[in-house]
Amino acid sequence: MSIGAYIKQIGRGARGARGLTRAQASDLLGQVLDGRAGELEVGAFCVAMRIKGETAEEMCGFVDAAQARVARFPAGADGRPLIVLPSYNGARKLPVLTPCWPCCWRAPASVLLHGMRTEAGRVVSSDVLAALDLPALAAIKPIASGKVAHVATPLLHPGLARLLATRETLGLRNPGHSVVKLLTPAPARRCW
């Protein structure tokens, strides 16, 4: 189905909008991530979903679409799990502690933080990690046991980064902000 048909279904306001099936939600977000939707269509999708709100089935479909497209980090040579921490919100007034705990934690597992700035005026994990002399990865590669690495969202998937960047223009969160917190860009078991 075209993105226009999906927008017609979800964009009828809080009372008139109808939810999408998991397959439809996956197809819709897939079109957005693959760049088959124009800026106006992406904006309409973001606003319609913000007004309507996502159902659990829609979120599962959105995650399916993103998970199928996101770059994957290879498993470590030792077979230990890769702990994945999404870090997108940042902070305006309080310290950003998310990137600090894996740097102080001395466990044999590897830790991967992923994120990007989606709103000006916030301190984000990548700022803290850069100050700790841990630059963002420039390529997808194995992460050694006991090491901490971080990657910017455009390296995981440029279309997902574009979707998140609409927040700068629209001033609103969109389904992409929830999707990135559920991504598993590694060969790992999911908890859900």
Side-chain angles (χ1 to χ4, degrees):
M1 190 164 27
S2 73
I3 193 166
Y6 288 129
I7 291 170
K8 186 175 181 181
Q9 185 172 335
I10 63 174
R12 294 184 180 268
R15 293 189 189 134
R18 291 188 325 252
L20 302 172
T21 66
R22 185 173 184 161
Q24 289 173 323
S26 179
D27 181 49
L28 170 56
L29 191 65
Q31 290 182 48
V32 170
L33 296 178
D34 294 344
R36 296 190 327 242
E39 286 184 30
L40 183 59
E41 292 168 317
V42 172
F45 160 68
C46 292
V47 171
M49 289 306 297
R50 181 68 178 179
I51 292 169
K52 180 186 135 338
E54 301 91 357
T55 65
E57 192 169 2
E58 288 168 338
M59 280 307 303
C60 287
F62 293 153
V63 172
D64 290 344
Q67 197 66 41
R69 290 162 174 81
V70 73
R72 306 240 183 219
F73 279 79
D78 59 6
R80 293 191 184 270
L82 176 63
I83 297 171
V84 178
L85 296 174
S87 185
Y88 286 83
N89 294 339
R92 287 189 185 107
K93 297 178 183 175
L94 299 174
V96 179
L97 300 177
T98 302
C100 296
W101 80 262
C103 293
C104 299
W105 183 45
R106 297 292 175 232
S110 306
V111 179
L112 172 68
L113 282 92
H114 63 91
M116 67 179 266
R117 185 176 310 284
T118 62
E119 189 176 349
R122 290 182 181 247
V123 176
V124 294
S125 292
S126 58
D127 298 335
V128 175
L129 292 168
L132 293 171
D133 202 28
L134 289 169
L137 296 174
I140 304 297
K141 63 181 186 177
I143 300 169
S145 287
K147 297 295 180 183
V148 176
H150 69 105
V151 63
T153 308
L155 189 58
L156 292 178
H157 193 281
L160 190 53
R162 281 191 305 273
L163 178 60
L164 294 175
T166 63
R167 183 175 189 164
E168 292 269 354
T169 304
L170 299 177
L172 299 171
R173 291 181 82 256
N174 63 63
H177 291 89
S178 297
V179 166
V180 293
K181 294 175 183 174
L182 298 171
L183 280 181
T184 308
R189 293 183 306 240
R190 286 195 182 152
C191 298
W192 51 279

